[in-house]
Amino acid sequence: MAPFAVLFIVVFLVPIIISVRSAFFSQVPSGGGLFGGGELVDTFVGMDNLVAAASNGAFWAGMGRVVIYAAFQIPVMIIAALALALLLDSFLVRRPAFFRLSFFLPYAIPGVIAAMIWMYMYTPEVSPFIPFLPEGTNFMAPGTILASMANMTTWTYTGYNMLIFLAALQSIPRELYEAARLDGANGFQIATKIKVPMVRGAALLAILLSIIGTIQLFNEPMIMAGTNAWMGLDYTPMMLTYNSMMGEISPSGSGPASAYSLLMAVIAGALAVVYSFVQRKKAN
Amino acid sequence: MAHKRITRTAAVITVGAISAFGLAACGAAGGNDSNDDAATGDAITIEYMHRLDNGADMATVAEITETWNEEHPDIQVKTTKFDGAATDMILKLETDVKAGNAPCLAQVGYSEAPQLYVKGLLEDVTTEAEKYEDNFSAGAFAGMRVGDVVVGLPQDVGPLVYFYNEAEYAALGLAVPSTIEELTADSATAAAAGKYLTAFTSDEATHWLAAQSAAAGETWFSTEGDEWVVNAEGEGSQAVAAFWQNLLDTDQTLKADRWGEPFTIALNDGSLIGHVGAAWEAGFLLDSLDGTPAEGQWRIAQLPDYGAGELTGPDGGSGVAVLKGCDYPAESMEFTNWFNTEIDDLASQGLVVAAKGAPENSEKMLRQFGGQDVNAELATATANMNPDFPYAPGFSTLSAMNETAANVVTGDATVADIFTTAQNTAVKALTDLGLPVAE
C-alpha cells in the first residue's frame, strides 16, 4: 500500500493541488512604472482567473468545436470499434490475433507522429491521394478540418476501443451462445441479442474515455494549426490553455492556464456524469 | 480515448515541479564544480544556455567556447544546448530562476527580453554591458535595452533584405527595385510573365510585418510620461498595408506560407524570383536550388525604400542576457562580448552577426549567391536597422497577427486588419500584465 500511496500522492494529488491552487493566484507586477518594477509577485486573486476564463468567448468557441467534434466522431468510432470486435469474436475470421494486433497498431504510433503523417496526406502539394480526388478537395478548409481531425482520431483510437470491447466479449460465458443456438438463434441474432447487450458496460467506459479525451483535444489541432494559421492559437480549449501558459495568449501565466484547465475538468466531469446517469436510467 | 491527454495540463504544470527536482541536482553539481575550482585558485564557472545549431560544417558553441576556456583558466564557461522551442526555454528559465539555479547567461530573443524583464528573470547589467556597446551595431544593441536598462549583449540580427534572382530579373528587363513603388510596378511586369517578385508569407506575419513597419519609419512602442503608447497602425504601417493589399488584390504576389511546401515548390520551379525576407534566411533559403540551373543566380539587395529612406526593420534575432541571481555579471558580459564578436565562427552557424564588421563568406554562400560578398551586404542592412523600434512586454501575444494574416490570404480580411490586430492585442497584453498603457 505504501508504494502506491507515495506514487499516488506525488504524481496525482500534488499536481492537482498545485494546479487548483495556482488557478486562484496571478502574477502581478511588484512595482509601478513601464516594466512593473522588473519583478512579478504571486498574488491571491480569488475567483478572478476563473471568472475571466469562464467569460472568455474564445474558450466557449473552442468548447463548441470539440462538442461538435465529439458528437460525430465518438459514435462513428465506437460503432466501428464494436463492429470490429464482434467480427474478431465471431469465429468468422481466421488468425484473429494477427488482426487484433493490426487494428491496434495505429494506437502504438505516438500521437504527434501520427498527426504529422496525416498532415502529409492532407497537404495538397505532397499528398499521395489528393490528386485522385475531385478537383478542389481541401481537407484543411474551415468547413472540413474538424472532419479531417476526427478521421485522424478515429484511425488512432478505433483499435484501442476495439480491445476494450473484445475483452468484454471474451468474458461472456460461451454456454450462453450454445443455449441460444439450441433455441434456434443464428449468428447475427447471437451478436445483436446477446453480445451487444452484454458489452454495455464496456461501451460506457469507452464512451466516457472518449468524451474526456475529446474535450482535451490537442495533438491534432496543434499540428494542423502549424500550417493553418487561421485556426488561431485557441482552436480548442486545450490549445488555449497551452498557449496561455506559453505566453502566446494574454492573459498568460500559470494562473489563467490553470483556470482554463479547471474549467475543462469540471465540464468533462459533468458530461461524463450526465452520460453515465442517462445510461444507467436506460438500463433500469 | 487518450489517457495521456487527461494529464497534459497537469503535466505542463508539474514540469515545473519535476524540473525543479532535476535541476536542483544539476545545480548542486555545478556548485560543487565551482567549489573545486575555487580550491585550485580563483576560477569561476559561468553557465550559458543557448539554442544554436550543432551542424557538422559549423563551429559549435562548445567548440568556440573551448578557445575561451583555454585562454581564461579563471573564467570557465559551461555551455548547454537547449533542444526545444524558445517558449519552452523561457518556461524552463522561469522555473530555474525561481529555484535559484538558473544559468548565468541565456539566449533571449529581442522581442522576448522586455517580457522576461517584467517577469523578473533578467539582471540589470547596464554598466557592464555598456562598456562593449561600440562593438555592436546600434539597432542590435537597442534590442537588448529594456527602457533605460541593458540586460545583455546582442548576438545575431535579422534585418529585412530583398532576395532576388538576378538572371530572371535581367530576362524580364528589370533592375533591382529601390523603392516599393518600383517593386509594385515591376511586380506587374513580372506577373504578366507568370513570375512573382515577392511572397506574402502570412505564417511569418508578426515579425515580418512589424519589421516592414519599422522599415517605413514607425515605432510601435513608445512611452509618454509613465505610460506605454502603442502605435501599430501609423502611417508607415498603412503604407506597408497598401503595398501588400495591392499585390494581393491583383494576384501579383505569391500567397504562400514561408514554411510550407508551396513556397519551396514555387522557388524550385522558378515562378518565385524574389523575396522580402530576414537576413538569416540567406543561410538556407536557396538550399533546394543546389544542383539546379538556378544555382548561383540569386543575389541579396537592400530592402526597397518603404518611404523612410535607407531603413530596414528587425525580423528576429537574439542576444545573450544575464539571468537574475547570476553571481558574476561582469565576467559574464566579458565572455559574451568575446563570444558575440567571434564573427567568423558565428557566421558559420548561419547567424547574421550583431557585432560590427563583415565575416568571411563561406564556400556555400559564395556558391549560392554567385560570388556576391553576402556578409558585407548583410552588414549594411544591419547598420541600416531602425534603431528606434523597441518591443513591449507581451509582444509574444502578437502572434495573433498570423491568424488575421491567414484570413487576408483567403480574402476574409485586409492587410490593414493585421495591424489593427497588432494594436488591439498589444494594448490588451499590456493591460493584462498590469502595466500602465495609454488608451
Side-chain angles (χ1 to χ4, degrees):
Chain A
M1 195 60 194
F4 167 76
V6 169
L7 274 176
F8 181 75
I9 290 170
V10 170
V11 306
F12 193 76
L13 280 187
V14 170
I16 288 182
I17 291 169
I18 291 176
S19 168
V20 171
R21 180 194 173 275
S22 66
F24 294 94
F25 282 78
S26 201
Q27 296 173 308
V28 298
S30 61
L34 294 167
F35 297 96
E39 185 93 60
L40 293 180
V41 280
D42 263 339
T43 313
F44 180 76
V45 293
M47 300 294 287
D48 284 7
N49 288 334
L50 286 163
V51 170
S55 56
N56 184 349
F59 177 81
W60 294 108
M63 202 45 100
R65 285 184 201 109
V66 295
V67 167
I68 294 171
Y69 178 93
F72 66 87
Q73 191 267 332
I74 296 178
V76 168
M77 175 179 66
I78 295 294
I79 290 168
L82 184 59
L84 287 178
L86 285 170
L87 264 180
L88 289 189
D89 190 57
S90 66
F91 310 108
L92 290 174
V93 183
R94 285 170 172 239
R95 303 187 198 289
F98 168 75
F99 285 104
R100 196 168 55 215
L101 184 67
S102 311
F103 292 148
F104 183 69
L105 213 53
Y107 182 73
I109 298 173
V112 174
I113 309 264
M116 288 171 75
I117 295 171
W118 279 107
M119 268 306 296
Y120 165 74
M121 297 212 249
Y122 288 156
T123 305
E125 288 78 11
V126 291
S127 168
F129 66 84
I130 288 181
F132 303 106
L133 296 177
E135 189 73 26
T137 305
N138 186 349
F139 287 101
M140 300 191 287
T144 52
I145 203 153
L146 271 183
S148 299
M149 290 193 292
N151 180 42
M152 291 154 76
T153 315
T154 308
W155 174 79
T156 308
Y157 291 105
T158 302
Y160 173 81
N161 287 301
M162 178 202 72
L163 276 195
I164 296 180
F165 284 122
L166 207 51
L169 282 171
Q170 288 180 344
S171 68
I172 298 173
R174 303 274 132 176
E175 293 80 28
L176 280 178
Y177 305 158
E178 239 170 85
R181 285 222 180 271
L182 285 177
D183 285 343
N186 61 25
F188 183 74
Q189 285 168 323
I190 292 176
T192 52
K193 299 276 181 335
I194 299 179
K195 291 184 176 180
V196 171
M198 294 287 275
V199 296
R200 189 183 288 268
L204 178 65
L205 175 70
I207 291 173
L208 285 186
L209 288 177
S210 300
I211 290 176
I212 296 169
T214 305
I215 295 289
Q216 310 192 25
L217 190 65
F218 182 76
N219 286 344
E220 291 87 351
M222 197 68 179
I223 296 278
M224 288 287 212
T227 54
N228 294 282
W230 57 264
M231 291 170 69
L233 298 167
D234 48 14
Y235 196 73
T236 68
M238 191 52 113
M239 276 179 73
L240 171 66
T241 307
Y242 175 81
N243 285 314
S244 299
M245 185 69 193
M246 288 306 193
E248 303 268 323
I249 289 179
S250 183
S252 61
S254 56
S258 299
Y260 291 128
S261 319
L262 215 56
L263 220 54
M264 253 190 293
V266 169
I267 291 169
L271 283 178
V273 168
V274 167
Y275 180 75
S276 62
F277 186 73
V278 169
Q279 271 302 42
R280 219 153 281 164
K281 264 224 147 144
K282 244 200 298 185
N284 292 339
Chain B
M1 218 179 292
H3 296 102
K4 278 176 216 155
R5 285 191 203 146
I6 300 171
T7 47
R8 180 174 297 278
T9 323
V12 167
I13 289 151
T14 26
V15 160
I18 293 165
S19 49
F21 286 122
L23 293 166
C26 298
N32 285 343
D33 281 354
S34 41
N35 286 347
D36 292 347
D37 292 340
T40 57
D42 290 316
I44 58 167
T45 303
I46 292 167
E47 282 186 56
Y48 167 34
M49 188 180 288
H50 65 91
R51 298 189 302 109
L52 296 180
D53 225 345
N54 249 348
D57 53 347
M58 44 182 76
T60 66
V61 175
E63 285 163 13
I64 306 172
T65 308
E66 218 163 272
T67 316
W68 164 273
N69 282 342
E70 274 162 24
E71 288 167 8
H72 299 81
D74 54 336
I75 306 176
Q76 293 293 297
V77 178
K78 190 176 150 232
T79 61
T80 315
K81 175 170 161 52
F82 183 85
D83 292 306
T87 47
D88 296 330
M89 182 160 142
I90 291 172
L91 203 58
K92 175 175 164 45
L93 293 175
E94 202 173 336
T95 321
D96 289 2
V97 168
K98 273 188 196 153
N101 52 32
C104 247
L105 294 168
Q107 180 178 343
V108 169
Y110 300 126
S111 64
E112 300 152 6
Q115 172 80 4
L116 297 195
Y117 183 75
V118 167
K119 284 189 169 187
L121 305 186
L122 303 183
E123 199 75 64
D124 173 355
V125 288
T126 312
T127 342
E128 290 85 355
E130 273 180 349
K131 281 187 231 162
Y132 310 110
E133 184 171 355
D134 292 344
N135 297 341
F136 301 94
S137 86
F141 194 84
M144 295 311 278
R145 274 190 204 281
V146 178
D148 299 330
V149 170
V150 183
V151 295
L153 292 171
Q155 185 170 69
D156 75 300
V157 288
L160 285 179
V161 292
Y162 185 62
F163 299 91
Y164 68 102
N165 183 319
E166 195 179 40
E168 295 280 0
Y169 254 78
L172 290 170
L174 298 173
V176 191
S178 56
T179 64
I180 52 171
E181 288 76 24
E182 284 178 33
L183 185 51
T184 302
D186 293 352
S187 292
T189 314
K195 307 270 180 189
Y196 296 114
L197 300 188
T198 55
F200 185 78
T201 51
S202 62
D203 58 336
E204 276 286 306
T206 310
H207 285 91
W208 188 62
L209 287 177
Q212 291 181 54
S213 194
E218 287 291 323
T219 299
W220 281 15
F221 302 100
S222 55
T223 57
E224 207 165 87
D226 229 5
E227 281 189 326
W228 283 101
V229 179
V230 183
N231 177 33
E233 297 178 279
E235 252 172 60
S237 298
Q238 297 310 327
V240 174
F243 167 65
W244 286 107
Q245 192 65 55
N246 164 55
L247 291 181
L248 288 164
D249 291 345
T250 52
D251 277 326
Q252 291 171 1
T253 184
L254 178 73
K255 297 169 193 170
D257 280 356
R258 176 64 188 87
W259 310 114
E261 216 48 51
F263 185 96
T264 315
I265 291 173
L267 193 67
N268 291 352
D269 70 19
S271 56
L272 181 66
I273 59 167
H275 171 52
V276 172
W280 41 261
E281 290 181 48
F284 53 85
L285 174 70
L286 305 178
D287 285 359
S288 67
L289 297 178
D290 282 354
T292 71
E295 180 180 348
Q297 291 184 347
W298 284 68
R299 301 287 182 274
I300 295 178
Q302 297 304 313
L303 192 71
D305 184 348
Y306 273 64
E310 275 183 21
L311 202 61
T312 183
D315 180 355
S318 53
V320 179
V322 178
L323 295 186
K324 224 6 144 2
C326 173
D327 292 328
Y328 315 110
E331 290 86 349
S332 293
M333 280 295 94
E334 189 187 341
F335 164 73
T336 306
N337 173 56
W338 174 84
F339 187 90
N340 288 357
T341 49
E342 290 294 292
I343 55 176
D344 288 340
D345 281 346
L346 289 177
S348 80
Q349 291 256 346
L351 298 181
V352 182
V353 294
K356 284 179 183 165
E360 269 174 50
N361 292 298
S362 64
E363 174 274 326
K364 180 183 158 187
M365 285 270 193
L366 293 171
R367 176 167 50 80
Q368 291 187 335
F369 290 94
Q372 187 190 9
D373 190 349
V374 170
N375 284 330
E377 195 68 38
L378 297 183
T380 309
T382 303
N384 286 344
M385 258 197 310
N386 185 338
D388 191 22
F389 196 78
Y391 298 98
F395 188 82
S396 55
T397 64
L398 267 68
S399 53
M401 289 166 72
N402 290 357
E403 190 180 344
T404 312
N407 292 329
V408 170
V409 173
T410 55
D412 297 319
T414 64
V415 182
D417 291 340
I418 305 175
F419 292 108
T420 309
T421 301
Q423 175 77 22
N424 297 342
T425 312
V427 170
K428 179 173 178 343
L430 286 166
T431 315
D432 286 342
L433 279 167
L435 300 173
V437 53
E439 293 281 347

